[in-house]
Amino acid sequence: MTSGRSSSRGGATCRRFLSLSLAILLSISFLVRTAMADKAPSPTGELTHFQKDKTDCGGCGKEPLVHVVKAKVDLDFDSQSRFFTSEDVNGEGDGHATNPQQTGGQEQVIDTDTYGGHTPDSVYPTDDPTRSSLPPDEALKDLNPPGPSMDVDPDIRQLAESMTLRELAGQMTQLQIGTVINSKGELDLFKVEYWIREWGVGSFLDTPTNHGGKYISYSASQFSKIVDAIQEVALSIGKGVPMIYGLDSVHGANYVDGAILFPQQIGVAATFNRTKAYEAGRITAKDTRAAGIPWVFTPILDVAVHKLWPRVYETYGEDPFVVSEMGSATIRGLQGNYKRDRRRVAACMKHFIGYSASRNGQDKSSAWIPDNYLLDYFVPPFQAANNSGVATAMETYIDVNGQPVVGSHFYLTELLRNRIGFKGMLVTDWGEVDRLYTEHRSAPTLIDAALLTLKQTSVDMVMVPESESFSKNAVTLVHEDKLLRERLVGSAAKVLQLKKDLGLFDQPFSDPKLLRYVGSQQDIEAAKNAARESITLLKNQNDVLPLKKGKKIVVTGPAANSIRALSGGWSIKWQGAETDDWYQGRGETIVQGLEKEFGRDTVSYVPSVDFDGHSVKSSDEKEEDYLDAIQDADTVILCLGEKPYAEIVGNIDDIDLPSGQLNVVRQVKARIKGTNTKVILVLVEGRPRGLQNVASLVDAIVMAYLPGPWGGHPIAEILSGAVNPSGRLPLTYPTGSSDMTTNYYRVGIDPYKPLFPFSAGLSYVPVEYVHLGLNQRKMRTTRYDVNGTSTPDDDEEEEEEDEEMKFQMKDYPSSLLAKVSVKNKGRQSVKETVFWYITKEYRSDVMPEAFMLKGFEKIELRPGQTKVVQFRINRDALTYHGRNLKRKAGKGKYILTVNAMRPEALSIHFEVV
């Protein structure tokens, strides 16, 4: 091992020589990149441009391979010509953060030239046959989407086997970008070289914004320069293996300045429209890839079972089927044919598993989940993602049933690999391996923590993210014969295969042609359409909505005039934007949306309280001045909710909104007593906050979730009636603290008295459901081969049958077809979601759920139009896991319910024999 620091004259000469060599390399290969900019990718062929080298491969006995440096990026970074040890790289003088919410001492500035002096193309082609990605309708139905293979390609295996131990461990190492940012907030190429040359680091992550970078937000152009510069160094060292960069693009490319942000996942779920999820994924991929980044850490597939949890807004809600469907649609949008289409990215399903089942609702707290519940409620979204070809997975921070997931053979090998069948690359979450020692107390030292993860699990990459600890420890473990070299070879090969699948061995640099499509008007409209279908009307007493134009509207509340509130966390920065100025006019507040919709002359805004409920009056104002402004208003719109937060920073102890916010409602109601003034409550929140008694004081309640920076006008369109609301709650809205963990599919004996149930949501026209029927009333679930022998799946349990019953069952179908007629009885078009639930009347081993969603479909109806909606009941819709953890479909009586928990609910019985 070579030291990063030397006081000898020979060492100084070596450093100068290597620095000069790198400088020459970075200067002469620009012409190569220019020549290759339009090269068509050929990712499915063998790796080319290899030559032999005599580098030691740690006793592998084979001649290793070297990848020729193929391209060059034009650099404009400042750097000092010196090498670093790990202590230098992580020194305090550079102001490096130890976690994503911190930044260094560098004062960050806004990059006002987001689009490089150009206006983004207003429209662009979404389908390109040469890219091999299917259009949305076909992609959502594709039963065999592109995805990772069980075995890596032979050339990839050969490359991995040729690597030294340090190179192998380096491919398995991921560092946050702050480790290579200097005290000026700029990329330091010699820190990059240190980490790649000394430790073989194969991956970086995160935005410089979170780690002392120069800019508050990095445009795709600025970001791609950083990524390409790191890539250039990686290609110039050793075997010239490209590095892979990952980013949390969780509601659009939220860390790419100028990219279009979508509603957070909870809002996308409220659309119950798979195409909206797909489109959000596709646009996210395009804008992230424009920044030179081919890998995103999304979607989050945790099931939001505890409403206090601060990551509820990052989920698709509380129902496993909805999470499965919307997550799968997002993955298909993100990835397309990611092995050929260089506008797409590799998705990452996270957090495997049980993260959202925090016992106390706090982030990163322990979860207690019975194994049969784990299999029935938490595994299905990950199984669906795997079936949709997801390329990568991320394990979770927490322990489940007392066992830290990052060190668990059961969760990360038996369950993820063997039962679910995941073949892709598995990465840890932030600092997880070290936490086995520092927090979980599962290992006595850091090297023991690395050994536990490597021997017990199938982890392929470790998000370290700020030191050489894992790489050094992994090499030591092999040298001490505590770990087989093959363990590192296998995981490094998976990392290398991902890089090949993404085309990084063919064209490792960003595509400048994609820059023109970032921030297009076409994408803005897509984000607005997603918000329009997500916004949920929860209360509309006496049809107070839609509002008539020409009337006086007064708006107040902390969320009324705030783009950052509409966007939430993971927006520009980890904890969200600190001020609306960071958006540079790209977005619309609720006030601006109302002014656009109703006219500036009729809309007035008056401040009242902040998100903590404190008065925002100036020194010369009275606290009640905002009440005077509403005296002659026809309508008062109160915009309450939460300020931006992410992860542990969002932990709270009380589900209720701050009392100061709720008191605004009470004060307004008291002031308008005896008048005809109507009060509309708009909720801008990432989780369902308690409303105490104020829900009964207002005339209408609109749930906006976190609709993104472009959500202001869609909210106004809902209030005006320009858009007929079609959003539905993807979770249960609790009445208070006692039912924060109650979900609609609780067992029948548990009380369910929410403020608003799962799937709640109103529209402005009446919709009628009639003629619910089944083609037959009995079905069988046993499968028979050509010889009449039953054939259960490996993990399924079949009930015993006598010969007479077996003969009779062959006469029954293996599925039933249900139909219901849905009619629009109004004068306005409506988008209506039809929900299909199944309930087992009796179950002897594990109590049945009150309802369990098994299907949903969103349809559009013109005025007076009727559509017949169909649903197929098959074996998969009936199965559950018993105490023996075998999947079964019990015989007996069932109930099929359309739109359970809604006024138009209809039910019909059927039987499984």
Side-chain angles (χ1 to χ4, degrees):
M1 184 176 71
T2 58
S3 171
R5 181 183 292 166
S6 173
S7 59
S8 68
R9 182 173 300 175
T13 302
C14 180
R15 291 196 300 273
R16 286 194 296 271
F17 173 75
L18 291 172
S19 298
L20 179 61
S21 298
L22 179 63
I24 293 173
L25 172 68
L26 298 180
S27 300
I28 65 174
S29 58
F30 174 70
L31 295 176
V32 179
R33 184 193 182 212
T34 303
M36 292 185 61
D38 296 322
K39 178 189 173 192
S42 56
T44 57
E46 292 294 299
L47 296 182
T48 57
H49 307 291
F50 283 92
Q51 61 188 22
K52 294 182 180 180
D53 186 17
K54 298 302 182 183
T55 306
D56 174 52
C57 62
C60 64
K62 299 182 180 180
E63 287 190 306
L65 301 173
V66 166
H67 190 272
V68 170
V69 179
K70 299 169 67 174
K72 161 72 180 75
V73 59
D74 190 20
L75 301 176
D76 59 359
F77 302 102
D78 293 333
S79 58
Q80 300 297 320
S81 178
R82 75 181 188 96
F83 280 108
F84 299 84
T85 64
S86 60
E87 288 80 8
D88 292 326
V89 173
N90 289 316
E92 291 183 0
D94 289 321
H96 292 303
T98 57
N99 55 57
Q101 73 263 37
Q102 298 174 335
T103 57
Q106 170 71 25
E107 183 177 351
Q108 296 176 310
V109 298
I110 295 176
D111 179 9
T112 57
D113 190 21
T114 300
Y115 302 116
H118 301 285
T119 300
D121 287 6
S122 59
V123 296
Y124 60 89
T126 58
D127 295 324
D128 182 354
T130 65
R131 303 284 188 169
S132 302
S133 290
L134 298 173
D137 289 345
E138 295 180 35
L140 291 172
K141 298 175 183 177
D142 188 3
L143 298 179
N144 189 30
S149 302
M150 178 65 73
D151 299 318
V152 300
D153 295 343
D155 51 344
I156 289 294
R157 178 71 189 186
Q158 186 180 3
L159 175 59
E161 289 176 345
S162 76
M163 287 183 162
T164 66
L165 290 175
R166 186 167 290 198
E167 288 171 335
L168 291 170
Q171 288 300 310
M172 298 173 65
T173 296
Q174 186 177 56
L175 296 181
Q176 56 96 344
I177 189 63
T179 58
V180 291
I181 297 292
N182 65 21
S183 59
K184 297 179 181 179
E186 298 167 334
L187 181 68
D188 193 318
L189 289 176
F190 294 96
K191 289 187 178 183
V192 175
E193 183 180 3
Y194 164 77
W195 284 113
I196 297 177
R197 185 179 299 281
E198 288 294 304
W199 298 104
V201 171
S203 182
F204 292 84
L205 81 152
D206 212 355
T207 170
T209 298
N210 286 334
H211 303 281
K214 178 179 179 180
Y215 295 109
I216 286 172
S217 185
Y218 285 74
S219 67
S221 176
Q222 290 282 4
F223 221 137
S224 65
K225 288 181 181 179
I226 291 174
V227 176
D228 286 351
I230 298 173
Q231 195 70 280
E232 189 70 38
V233 176
L235 294 173
S236 72
I237 292 174
K239 295 176 175 59
V241 175
M243 70 89 195
I244 185 170
Y245 205 105
L247 196 65
D248 283 291
S249 293
V250 296
H251 66 120
N254 44 273
Y255 283 158
V256 177
D257 188 39
I260 303 307
L261 274 61
F262 278 74
Q264 297 277 3
Q265 277 193 196
I266 194 67
V268 175
T271 69
F272 286 91
N273 188 332
R274 297 169 180 84
T275 302
K276 298 303 179 190
Y278 177 95
E279 280 297 287
R282 180 190 63 77
I283 293 168
T284 296
K286 170 184 65 71
D287 290 352
T288 305
R289 200 73 193 242
I293 298 170
W295 182 24
V296 295
F297 305 130
T298 193
I300 182 171
L301 300 181
D302 300 295
V303 179
V305 294
H306 200 308
K307 307 309 181 293
L308 200 67
W309 192 49
R311 304 195 75 167
V312 165
Y313 70 85
E314 298 179 58
T315 76
Y316 290 115
E318 73 180 35
D319 179 75
F321 184 76
V322 175
V323 178
S324 299
E325 292 293 297
M326 301 302 278
S328 294
T330 301
I331 289 166
R332 291 166 187 261
L334 288 165
Q335 292 192 169
N337 188 351
Y338 71 102
K339 296 182 180 182
R340 298 189 64 86
D341 190 342
R342 302 308 172 217
R343 300 169 303 175
R344 304 298 179 106
V345 296
C348 183
M349 62 179 186
K350 64 179 187 182
H351 307 84
F352 192 84
I353 193 171
Y355 184 24
S356 57
S358 165
R359 293 180 60 212
N360 57 10
Q362 305 297 293
D363 188 38
K364 301 181 184 177
S365 292
S366 299
W368 289 1
I369 310 172
D371 285 344
N372 60 313
Y373 286 177
L374 185 82
L375 295 172
D376 281 342
Y377 306 143
F378 296 89
V379 166
F382 293 96
Q383 184 68 69
N386 183 69
N387 297 345
S388 295
V390 69
T392 69
M394 182 186 294
E395 60 80 41
T396 185
Y397 282 118
I398 64 163
D399 65 278
V400 177
N401 300 333
Q403 186 174 43
V405 173
V406 72
S408 171
H409 179 79
F410 172 74
Y411 293 117
L412 297 186
T413 301
E414 288 297 327
L415 185 56
L416 178 63
R417 299 292 191 180
N418 299 341
R419 189 156 189 152
I420 292 177
F422 177 64
K423 305 179 185 68
M425 195 271 283
L426 173 62
V427 63
T428 74
D429 209 331
W430 188 277
E432 271 296 273
V433 173
D434 286 1
R435 291 181 74 230
L436 286 170
Y437 163 63
T438 60
E439 294 183 29
H440 292 303
R441 295 164 56 196
S442 296
T445 65
L446 288 178
I447 194 168
D448 287 302
L451 180 62
L452 179 61
T453 295
L454 290 172
K455 291 202 75 170
Q456 293 296 318
T457 79
S458 60
V459 163
D460 299 307
M461 181 183 286
V462 176
M463 194 183 291
V464 180
E466 301 173 315
S467 75
E468 76 284 2
S469 63
F470 171 77
S471 185
K472 180 169 63 177
N473 289 336
V475 171
T476 299
L477 289 169
V478 176
H479 281 315
E480 294 179 351
D481 293 326
K482 295 180 179 179
L483 188 72
L484 294 177
R485 184 179 189 277
E486 175 57 30
R487 174 64 178 87
L488 304 188
V489 171
S491 283
K494 281 190 176 293
V495 175
L496 294 169
Q497 184 67 55
L498 176 67
K499 294 178 180 182
K500 181 184 179 184
D501 289 344
L502 289 165
L504 296 180
F505 281 101
D506 288 294
Q507 171 49 285
F509 297 99
S510 62
D511 182 355
K513 295 189 294 294
L514 294 178
L515 296 175
R516 58 192 288 190
Y517 301 146
V518 177
S520 75
Q521 185 62 42
Q522 177 177 324
D523 294 345
I524 294 174
E525 195 61 24
K528 284 186 171 183
N529 283 336
R532 288 172 179 126
E533 288 199 31
S534 72
I535 297 165
T536 307
L537 179 60
L538 295 175
K539 180 180 179 180
N540 192 19
Q541 187 171 301
N542 298 322
D543 294 330
V544 63
L545 294 178
L547 298 176
K548 294 180 174 61
K549 295 188 176 182
K551 304 290 185 179
K552 181 178 180 181
I553 298 172
V554 175
V555 192
T556 190
N561 206 30
S562 173
I563 293 177
R564 61 187 291 266
L566 297 175
S567 303
W570 302 101
S571 301
I572 300 180
K573 271 191 173 182
W574 181 49
Q575 292 299 317
E578 296 174 10
T579 171
D580 280 5
D581 292 341
W582 289 9
Y583 287 95
Q584 302 183 62
R586 293 188 289 268
E588 297 167 319
T589 67
I590 296 175
V591 171
Q592 290 171 326
L594 290 167
E595 289 175 343
K596 179 185 289 188
E597 191 67 17
F598 291 94
R600 301 190 67 175
D601 294 340
T602 62
V603 176
S604 59
Y605 165 69
V606 54
S608 51
V609 299
D610 61 20
F611 285 104
D612 294 321
H614 303 140
S615 173
V616 293
K617 66 182 178 65
S618 60
S619 57
D620 58 344
E621 292 177 326
K622 296 180 181 178
E623 190 167 342
E624 297 80 16
D625 280 356
Y626 80 92
L627 294 173
D628 294 337
I630 68 172
Q631 197 66 36
D632 57 347
D634 294 292
T635 302
V636 178
I637 299 176
L638 305 176
C639 303
L640 309 184
E642 298 184 297
K643 59 186 173 184
Y645 59 84
E647 294 190 64
I648 200 167
V649 177
N651 280 349
I652 56 176
D653 298 317
D654 186 358
I655 192 67
D656 290 346
L657 279 173
S659 58
Q661 288 199 52
L662 297 177
N663 284 338
V664 169
V665 182
R666 298 182 181 109
Q667 292 166 359
V668 167
K669 192 67 176 178
R671 178 60 66 94
I672 65 172
K673 186 176 181 180
T675 72
N676 289 323
T677 302
K678 304 302 180 183
V679 180
I680 313 299
L681 175 60
V682 177
L683 296 171
V684 179
E685 54 189 15
R687 56 195 153 190
R689 300 298 296 269
L691 302 178
Q692 296 181 6
N693 70 324
V694 303
S696 63
L697 301 180
V698 299
D699 297 285
I701 300 176
V702 174
M703 179 63 159
Y705 311 95
L706 299 175
W710 296 102
H713 189 223
I715 291 171
E717 290 176 311
I718 295 290
L719 297 177
S720 75
V723 172
N724 196 351
S726 65
R728 300 290 184 262
L729 276 182
L731 43 68
T732 297
Y733 204 115
T735 300
S737 298
S738 65
D739 54 359
M740 289 187 298
T741 60
T742 301
N743 305 295
Y744 84 86
Y745 47 86
R746 82 289 174 198
V747 294
I749 63 171
D750 288 349
Y752 189 66
K753 47 182 180 180
L755 184 61
F756 302 105
F758 174 87
S759 79
L762 306 170
S763 65
Y764 293 144
V765 298
V767 176
E768 180 183 58
Y769 286 71
V770 294
H771 307 311
L772 173 63
L774 289 165
N775 63 333
Q776 292 195 47
R777 291 297 188 97
K778 290 184 179 182
M779 64 176 285
R780 61 175 169 85
T781 59
T782 304
R783 302 186 182 100
Y784 295 98
D785 61 22
V786 293
N787 298 316
T789 304
S790 61
T791 57
D793 293 341
D794 290 341
D795 65 336
E796 291 187 348
E797 179 181 66
E798 290 286 353
E799 298 182 34
E800 292 186 5
E801 306 157 355
D802 59 38
E803 290 302 316
E804 182 177 357
M805 177 61 71
K806 184 185 296 186
F807 178 79
Q808 292 176 351
M809 283 198 300
K810 293 177 185 177
D811 294 333
Y812 295 115
S814 59
S815 68
L816 301 178
L817 183 64
K819 296 182 180 181
V820 68
S821 295
V822 187
K823 182 177 182 178
N824 179 359
K825 301 188 74 174
R827 298 180 179 178
Q828 182 180 5
S829 292
V830 64
K831 294 178 181 178
E832 177 76 3
T833 301
V834 182
F835 298 92
W836 299 92
Y837 301 84
I838 291 178
T839 304
K840 181 76 160 60
E841 289 196 29
Y842 302 97
R843 208 157 65 188
S844 61
D845 54 351
V846 177
M847 287 189 295
E849 298 90 354
F851 301 100
M852 204 71 218
L853 186 70
K854 297 298 180 179
F856 65 86
E857 182 179 352
K858 194 163 193 175
I859 60 174
E860 186 166 7
L861 297 169
R862 300 186 304 274
Q865 184 182 11
T866 297
K867 283 188 178 180
V868 176
V869 181
Q870 299 182 349
F871 172 65
R872 176 72 64 176
I873 303 173
N874 55 28
R875 179 188 175 84
D876 289 339
L878 306 176
T879 57
Y880 71 101
H881 288 85
R883 289 296 298 121
N884 61 1
L885 303 186
K886 290 287 187 178
R887 189 159 54 102
K888 63 169 92 173
K891 298 176 175 60
K893 296 180 179 179
Y894 289 79
I895 304 171
L896 174 68
T897 305
V898 176
N899 287 20
M901 300 167 287
R902 295 180 56 84
E904 67 274 12
L906 297 173
S907 295
I908 190 170
H909 291 74
F910 66 95
E911 185 177 357
V912 173
V913 297

